[in-house]
Amino acid sequence: MAAEYRFSFGPWNIHSGADPFGPPVRPSVSFAEKLKLYKQLGFDGVQFHDDDAVPDMEELAPAEIERQAKEVKKMLDGEGLVAEFVAPRLWEDPRGIDGAFTSNDPQCRAWAVERLKRCNDIANALGTRLHVLWLAREGTYIREAKNAIQAHQHLIDAINALLEYDPHAEVAIEPKPNEPMDHAYIPTIGHALALAERTADPGRVGGLIETAHALLAGLDPSDEMAFALALGKLWSVHLNDQNGLKFDQDKTFGSANLRAAFNQVRVLELGGYAGTGRFVGLDVKAMRTQKPEAAQKHLANSREIFLLLVEKVRTFPRDVERQCIADRDYEALELAVLKHLVGS
Ligand code: 3MF
Ligand code: MG
């Protein structure tokens, strides 16, 4: 088994099973209990929303936010865990209803930038430089609602405010084409990295690619990852799976399309991702049908499938690959891949 990959997930990946159509079906698990599960499940990194670390942050002064975040850092140390990133949860506050950074209301935009600075204070207290921006409501339900050209400048301005606030801060933009909005402004990694280039310090702005988000955009997640790797900008991943064009499912990695999962692992191997020290994040959800005592299996299972696919990538017969490519016989190459995957 390949051991050099490091794995992470967010506390939201252990959840009580509520969905838009029904209430929780499992008891909620406290943050402290969740932390205890990380190592047991084979994970070393914790992904945070700012308010996962400091739940009442909107009611607290900056110094108190920092103090509470330092307490969380002690909890991480106690479990031998590290924080991978902190993401500002801008989409639950009333001021983020119409987008936060791209709201038409200047007061809401100002709030969002302040929140990003508090998120940075939390990141520093937790010992990470990385901020993830999933731009949940930065978009529109109807096009006439915003000036989309101006909205992109607002995004650049917000990122610049963070880069200026903390000269060590790094940002990974997590693209997603839709949901909750009809259209989200940064739908692909191409959009994200083009925007990154126009910020005040492009070297500190990269991307996080989620399998399901790329699939919802009609793109191949492995090619999205390859694009970011080619530019040295793949700073995290949210591996999961997605069964066609429906709501964001966050299924267990490899569960809908094993070959596409193989190709994501292949591209991470080709790009030397493990060697960058970046985490393999698994943004997976337990099925609502899962009983409480088994509602963490999706995490361990996703990790296990990832590692099995690393083995598959490393043991794919190179001579066959070389010969098929030399002959331009991609039918033979495809059959070799399929047989390798089914173990024949
Ligand atoms: C939304 C997501 C989120 C983000 C997370 C970090 C549940 O579709 O994928 O995960 O990744 O909020 O910003
Ligand atoms: Mg995600």
Side-chain angles (χ1 to χ4, degrees):
M1 285 287 228
E4 77 269 40
Y5 284 96
R6 299 199 296 165
F7 297 90
S8 61
F9 68 87
W12 62 87
N13 294 115
I14 297 175
H15 57 94
S16 48
D19 69 15
F21 308 98
V25 290
R26 295 182 287 265
S28 69
V29 180
S30 74
F31 180 68
E33 287 173 283
K34 287 179 184 178
L35 282 192
K36 296 220 176 301
L37 292 167
Y38 272 76
K39 288 276 179 186
Q40 289 173 32
L41 294 167
F43 290 77
D44 298 311
V46 183
Q47 306 183 334
F48 282 91
H49 293 126
D50 48 7
D51 58 1
D52 289 323
V54 184
D56 302 323
M57 61 183 291
E58 284 295 341
E59 273 83 67
L60 305 174
E64 177 60 16
I65 292 174
E66 204 178 316
R67 195 195 63 77
Q68 292 194 17
K70 282 183 177 156
E71 290 301 312
V72 176
K73 173 71 163 74
K74 284 185 203 156
M75 292 170 78
L76 292 179
D77 292 345
E79 301 293 338
L81 298 169
V82 296
E84 182 197 358
F85 66 67
V86 186
R89 189 167 1 220
L90 298 164
W91 54 91
E92 289 188 0
D93 192 282
R95 287 161 289 191
I97 280 182
D98 197 16
F101 302 132
T102 66
S103 172
N104 286 321
D105 180 341
Q107 285 185 335
C108 293
R109 294 202 300 274
W111 161 76
V113 168
E114 280 313 299
R115 172 86 177 225
L116 187 52
K117 291 178 183 171
R118 297 294 81 73
C119 177
N120 174 258
D121 297 342
I122 293 171
N124 282 324
L126 295 179
T128 180
R129 292 178 173 190
L130 189 62
H131 303 68
V132 165
L133 295 184
W134 170 49
L135 300 165
R137 298 190 193 277
E138 314 298 351
T140 53
Y141 296 112
I142 63 165
R143 280 335 141 251
E144 298 85 352
K146 289 182 187 174
N147 177 338
I149 300 170
Q150 213 173 50
H152 290 90
Q153 188 57 49
H154 289 323
L155 291 173
I156 293 170
D157 292 345
I159 293 171
N160 284 346
L162 172 65
L163 296 176
E164 190 184 319
Y165 180 68
D166 177 355
H168 299 296
E170 294 173 356
V171 178
I173 301 173
E174 178 179 355
K176 183 178 180 182
N178 59 277
E179 195 204 37
M181 308 310 284
D182 174 78
H183 172 78
Y185 285 136
I186 306 295
T188 72
I189 195 65
H191 291 79
L193 297 185
L195 197 86
E197 285 307 309
R198 299 305 296 265
T199 63
D201 191 355
R204 290 195 280 143
V205 188
L208 175 158
I209 292 172
E210 171 161 328
T211 312
H213 297 179
L215 290 169
L216 288 170
L219 296 168
D220 184 307
S222 71
D223 284 321
E224 288 284 274
M225 290 173 192
F227 178 74
L229 285 164
L231 274 59
K233 293 279 195 173
L234 188 63
W235 293 353
S236 189
V237 290
H238 266 173
L239 300 184
N240 56 27
D241 216 344
Q242 174 72 24
N243 195 16
L245 292 180
K246 24 188 105 159
F247 63 96
D248 185 2
Q249 294 181 295
D250 296 337
K251 290 167 70 70
T252 289
F253 183 55
S255 63
N257 189 335
L258 201 53
R259 184 169 174 194
F262 169 78
N263 279 315
Q264 288 165 72
V265 176
R266 176 175 174 269
V267 92
L268 293 176
E269 284 278 290
L270 286 173
Y273 186 78
T276 67
R278 303 275 182 187
F279 278 93
V280 173
L282 291 156
D283 196 6
V284 289
K285 268 201 189 80
M287 289 180 245
R288 193 167 189 266
T289 43
Q290 205 68 353
K291 291 179 181 172
E293 58 277 13
Q296 298 86 33
K297 283 186 180 170
H298 59 302
L299 289 157
N301 294 355
S302 292
R303 178 181 174 277
E304 184 179 349
I305 290 297
F306 180 92
L307 289 171
L308 287 168
L309 288 172
V310 171
E311 276 308 294
K312 284 289 174 190
V313 171
R314 291 182 182 173
T315 57
F316 187 73
R318 297 290 157 234
D319 50 339
V320 173
E321 184 181 73
R322 264 193 303 275
Q323 195 57 54
C324 291
I325 288 172
D327 297 343
R328 211 194 328 123
D329 188 351
Y330 300 149
E331 291 290 354
L333 180 59
E334 179 155 71
L335 183 64
V337 169
L338 294 176
K339 286 173 95 171
H340 188 64
L341 282 176
V342 298
S344 127

